[in-house]
Amino acid sequence: MTKIETITTSLRTAIAEQIIGKDVVIQQVLAALLCGGHVLLSDIPGTGKTTLARALAQSLDASFHRIQFTPDLLPSDLIGVSIPDPKTNAFVFHKGSVFTQILLADEINRATPRTQSALLECMEERQVTADGVTYPLDSPFFVIATQNPVEMQGTFPLPEAQLDRFLLCLSLGYLDHEQELALLSRKETPNPIRPMVTVPQLLEAQQELTQVKVSDAVKLYIADLAQATREHKQIQLGLSTRGMQALLKVSCAMAAIQGRDFVTPDDVKDIAPACIAHRIIAKSSAWEEGTQLCRNLVAEILDTVAVPKETSWN
């Protein structure tokens, strides 16, 4: 898996210059990028969500747009609008901000459900339909969205259908004490990142991902995890079939990033919380409480579901 290893190493090195102490999250974001999925960064303000998204965009030689989501943002601001041409009296479609390759949807939960839903077709089908005409989006099309899960006043929590479009939901969290001291000791702002990987190189790596092998034992393990979420007494809505397929695909990416052409149960266990927790609904009335509960329930399921023996998947 030389191509995947080469580009992910280059991207990780570049992004790490801007983001200290978040190597695991960076690796998971790159896994989602390889899969052609999307990422939701859900964390409190000031932990580096927007910085991470910008660093990724800068390290990849691709077009980039940032949209600040607000309650007055309209769907037409995202997908575009048809405006009459005074010379021809014909309507001409003017493309919106989603016509890019890397899209930073900042504070996505501050937009209304109507505006949020405008992203559904873009994220799932990589196209925009306006006035009966379908416009394809460029490849790759990667959405990295941010939200603050604590401050709920003036926000519109993402519905389950929208959350299911995100391959991973990640949280950066606080730095440890030594990492914060290293950050404070920086004498100057890091230099801007120069592009390290081209779009053709990324597309080649995405094709190489299809060569990763998954044994029947690992597939059964993933299916058992999905079934466990559906049968758990504290879970109202378990993992969907699409979520189960997403877990398989991102596990392949995690294996490839580490230089292997086969998936191990540890690959599945490492990425499962980020892939599953936001797709299930716990039996809890409080949204914030339910979010943390889902993460705890996934951890519990990973501890209880039997892991395949090494001889069955190697």
Side-chain angles (χ1 to χ4, degrees), residues 186-204:
R186 278 184 173 177
K187 296 182 179 179
E188 55 185 27
T189 304
N191 294 325
I193 300 174
R194 62 182 180 87
M196 305 295 293
V197 176
T198 64
V199 169
Q201 288 174 325
L202 175 61
L203 296 179
E204 287 179 9

Side-chain angles (χ1 to χ4, degrees), residues 98-109:
V98 297
F99 285 89
T100 186
Q101 292 171 312
I102 306 293
L103 176 66
L104 170 56
D106 223 352
E107 296 186 294
I108 190 173
N109 58 331

Side-chain angles (χ1 to χ4, degrees), residues 22-72:
K22 299 301 176 184
D23 294 340
V24 173
V25 176
I26 292 171
Q27 179 172 293
Q28 292 172 337
V29 170
L30 295 179
L33 179 64
L34 285 172
C35 292
H38 309 289
V39 171
L40 176 63
L41 298 178
S42 183
D43 212 333
I44 60 175
T47 53
K49 300 186 297 294
T50 304
T51 303
L52 174 58
R54 284 189 176 277
L56 173 63
Q58 291 171 356
S59 61
L60 185 64
D61 189 16
S63 57
F64 169 68
H65 285 162
R66 175 187 178 276
I67 305 175
Q68 180 64 51
F69 279 64
T70 57
D72 60 349

Side-chain angles (χ1 to χ4, degrees), residues 22-253:
K22 299 301 176 184
D23 294 340
V24 173
V25 176
I26 292 171
Q27 179 172 293
Q28 292 172 337
V29 170
L30 295 179
L33 179 64
L34 285 172
C35 292
H38 309 289
V39 171
L40 176 63
L41 298 178
S42 183
D43 212 333
I44 60 175
T47 53
K49 300 186 297 294
T50 304
T51 303
L52 174 58
R54 284 189 176 277
L56 173 63
Q58 291 171 356
S59 61
L60 185 64
D61 189 16
S63 57
F64 169 68
H65 285 162
R66 175 187 178 276
I67 305 175
Q68 180 64 51
F69 279 64
T70 57
D72 60 349
L73 190 72
L74 298 176
S76 57
D77 296 326
L78 294 178
I79 64 174
V81 63
S82 294
I83 300 176
D85 187 338
K87 295 181 180 180
T88 62
N89 290 326
F91 281 87
V92 178
F93 181 69
H94 292 258
K95 295 180 178 180
S97 299
V98 297
F99 285 89
T100 186
Q101 292 171 312
I102 306 293
L103 176 66
L104 170 56
D106 223 352
E107 296 186 294
I108 190 173
N109 58 331
R110 292 200 175 277
T112 62
R114 181 186 177 194
T115 302
Q116 291 176 9
S117 64
L119 277 175
L120 288 175
E121 182 184 13
C122 307
M123 296 173 66
E124 186 67 20
E125 301 176 38
R126 268 66 175 180
Q127 65 182 31
V128 168
T129 302
D131 300 326
V133 180
T134 299
Y135 303 90
L137 296 171
D138 292 336
S139 293
F141 177 67
F142 182 62
V143 176
I144 181 164
T146 72
Q147 71 170 5
N148 174 7
V150 178
E151 183 184 354
M152 301 306 296
Q153 185 175 3
T155 64
F156 304 86
L158 298 177
E160 285 69 33
Q162 184 86 24
L163 285 171
D164 200 41
R165 263 55 175 197
F166 288 100
L167 179 64
L168 300 177
C169 181
L170 304 173
S171 175
L172 278 78
Y174 291 116
L175 298 173
D176 63 33
H177 191 58
E178 292 183 359
Q179 292 167 344
E180 288 184 328
L181 285 176
L183 180 63
L184 293 174
S185 299
R186 278 184 173 177
K187 296 182 179 179
E188 55 185 27
T189 304
N191 294 325
I193 300 174
R194 62 182 180 87
M196 305 295 293
V197 176
T198 64
V199 169
Q201 288 174 325
L202 175 61
L203 296 179
E204 287 179 9
Q206 289 178 338
Q207 289 298 317
E208 191 178 65
L209 190 61
T210 60
Q211 300 174 19
V212 178
K213 306 178 187 67
V214 185
S215 67
D216 291 339
V218 172
K219 292 177 183 177
L220 178 60
Y221 178 54
I222 292 174
D224 288 344
L225 289 175
Q227 190 64 31
T229 65
R230 300 162 190 166
E231 296 175 350
H232 200 287
K233 294 180 179 179
Q234 290 183 269
I235 296 179
Q236 180 178 342
L237 181 65
L239 186 65
S240 66
T241 302
R242 176 166 52 194
M244 183 178 63
Q245 293 172 320
L247 179 57
L248 173 64
K249 193 169 185 179
V250 74
S251 297
C252 292

